Amino acid sequence: MLPAANRLTRSQDFGLVVRRGRRAGRSRLVVHVLTPAEATASTATSAQPTLEASKVGFVVSKAVGNSVVRHRVSRRLRHVVRDRLNSLPPGTSLVVRALAPSADADSAELGRDLDAALRKVLR
């Protein structure tokens, strides 16, 4: 389970990260990342403090599978992201969008895809 302080919950926040953040895709998932520097550059009026907790949100659509499959994928992604949360720069917003092949993937495969996508986006 992700702590409440680390969850993206508002639709506007998801939209901002997806629209303005950097994106990297893999076969099973797509990662959108918005760092505090990018957020303040795009919205000059609201400067975010860099000590703010990183926030994560997940998008698992019906294309992934039925309700049982979608929830299984969501749980696996939450577990995988929770272990990597401390490696994100403080104040980072992250949206992980699961693609249809993620339904057949185990946690290790999702973790490898997430690591590769984060490496690409955070360079």
Side-chain angles (χ1 to χ4, degrees):
M1 188 65 115
L2 282 174
N6 296 112
R7 293 185 211 150
L8 273 179
T9 55
R10 295 180 27 211
S11 175
Q12 296 89 350
D13 295 339
F14 275 86
L16 180 71
V17 174
V18 170
R19 270 192 328 274
R20 301 222 173 122
R22 298 178 68 194
R23 179 182 70 195
R26 293 289 172 248
S27 61
R28 296 176 192 95
L29 50 87
V30 177
V31 172
H32 299 269
V33 175
L34 185 66
T35 60
E38 293 167 340
T40 55
S42 63
T43 58
T45 57
S46 65
Q48 296 178 353
T50 56
L51 297 177
E52 189 175 302
S54 295
K55 295 186 181 281
V56 182
F58 302 95
V59 178
V60 184
S61 72
K62 288 186 178 182
V64 174
N66 64 19
S67 174
V68 173
V69 174
R70 290 193 313 268
H71 283 92
R72 183 182 322 125
V73 169
S74 295
R75 284 192 305 271
R76 287 181 179 161
L77 286 173
R78 268 197 313 268
H79 175 74
V80 167
V81 169
R82 184 187 64 206
D83 294 340
R84 291 153 178 85
L85 203 54
N86 291 332
S87 65
L88 294 174
T92 300
S93 297
L94 170 72
V95 172
V96 180
R97 185 166 42 102
L99 301 175
S102 65
D104 301 323
D106 61 7
S107 295
E109 293 169 329
L110 291 173
R112 282 193 298 274
D113 280 353
L114 180 69
D115 288 339
L118 286 175
R119 266 194 310 274
K120 183 176 179 184
V121 160
L122 293 175
R123 339 179 196 159

